[in-house]
Amino acid sequence: MNSVMMVKKAIRYSVVQNILQYYECPDSCNAECCSNGRIHIFEDEFNFLKENYNERTKGIKSDDIIPSLYTMDTPCPFLDRVNRCDIHVKRPTVCGMYPFKVNSSGTSLGLQPCPVGFEVIKDLASWAMNTISKTGISEDEKAEKIMEWKNTVESYEQEALEFHTRESLQEMQIPFEELEMFSMFLLSKKQ
């Protein structure tokens, strides 16, 4: 198993893909994720891009800190004239994860409140509140936990409104176990 496949397994890439299949970037999206900051890609992904899209890889450089990673400055050279990805089916791992982001915890993923991320957050909150309402905890505890989720959605709604103008965003941390349960819920809901 190559390094990219091992990383994808560790970060639950397939679970993220199961979730993201139910969401789509709106037409109003300006590819903020591909237009600002830095994009990290694995050496295997860089080699594939260089082999297949050599001219567009000129700005991709080896990471100074982690030699097996490469960085691509933005805007991404694989965006087309209308800010859509030209290599969408062959895009790097980090691009296929977005708006989910790997963090250093090893037990969760971050979720950014871009337009798609906020839709995921709202659905996740709805699922969580529905699940809480069916538990055997006291009514007061249910009400408190449901109110926490409502407040969380309101907080991220503000983040989503300011997504295109803020330099840093509040990121929801979602444990892998909850991601997997949410993925199964979406699958059952959409069938």
Side-chain angles (χ1 to χ4, degrees):
M1 184 182 294
N2 70 28
S3 60
V4 175
M5 294 306 291
M6 290 185 336
V7 168
K8 283 183 173 183
K9 184 175 181 181
I11 61 174
R12 312 306 198 278
Y13 188 82
S14 63
V15 173
V16 169
Q17 294 306 296
N18 289 342
I19 292 170
L20 291 177
Q21 72 178 326
Y22 300 107
Y23 300 92
E24 191 173 302
C25 292
D27 289 338
S28 61
C29 178
N30 291 320
E32 293 293 324
C33 55
C34 307
S35 300
N36 297 304
R38 297 180 111 180
I39 300 169
H40 286 88
I41 63 175
F42 295 105
E43 186 171 17
D44 295 352
E45 295 170 330
F46 170 72
N47 291 336
F48 169 81
L49 294 174
K50 186 160 182 62
E51 186 177 309
N52 292 283
Y53 307 97
N54 188 37
E55 279 302 308
R56 292 181 175 187
T57 62
K58 302 267 188 245
I60 300 175
K61 309 239 182 305
S62 181
D63 188 271
D64 295 333
I65 299 168
I66 305 170
S68 61
L69 284 180
Y70 287 75
T71 58
M72 183 180 343
D73 288 332
T74 52
C76 175
F78 298 100
L79 287 176
D80 65 17
R81 291 186 319 243
V82 292
N83 285 334
R84 293 294 186 221
C85 183
D86 268 347
I87 59 168
H88 193 264
V89 295
K90 299 286 187 182
R91 67 194 183 278
T93 302
V94 69
C95 303
M97 296 271 307
Y98 199 82
F100 290 95
K101 293 183 74 179
V102 176
N103 59 43
S104 59
S105 76
T107 61
S108 66
L109 290 177
L111 176 59
Q112 290 206 330
C114 70
V116 168
F118 183 59
E119 291 303 313
V120 175
I121 289 169
K122 289 191 307 187
D123 288 348
L124 179 67
S126 176
W127 166 74
M129 289 187 284
N130 187 43
T131 302
I132 290 166
S133 69
K134 295 175 184 177
T135 62
I137 61 176
S138 74
E139 292 302 316
D140 287 342
E141 285 179 280
K142 284 180 190 178
E144 183 180 324
K145 290 185 180 297
I146 288 172
M147 185 53 69
E148 285 174 17
W149 272 104
K150 288 181 179 179
N151 290 339
T152 296
V153 170
E154 286 178 17
S155 169
Y156 282 103
E157 182 173 29
Q158 189 60 41
E159 292 283 315
L161 290 172
E162 298 172 359
F163 177 76
H164 301 298
T165 59
R166 295 184 72 173
E167 285 189 31
S168 66
L169 294 165
Q170 180 181 348
E171 218 173 74
M172 177 180 272
Q173 297 302 309
I174 307 171
F176 289 138
E177 185 177 294
E178 286 182 27
L179 274 177
E180 290 168 358
M181 291 187 299
F182 180 59
S183 173
M184 289 186 287
F185 164 74
L186 287 175
L187 181 63
S188 69
K189 181 178 145 182
K190 303 295 180 176
Q191 289 183 342

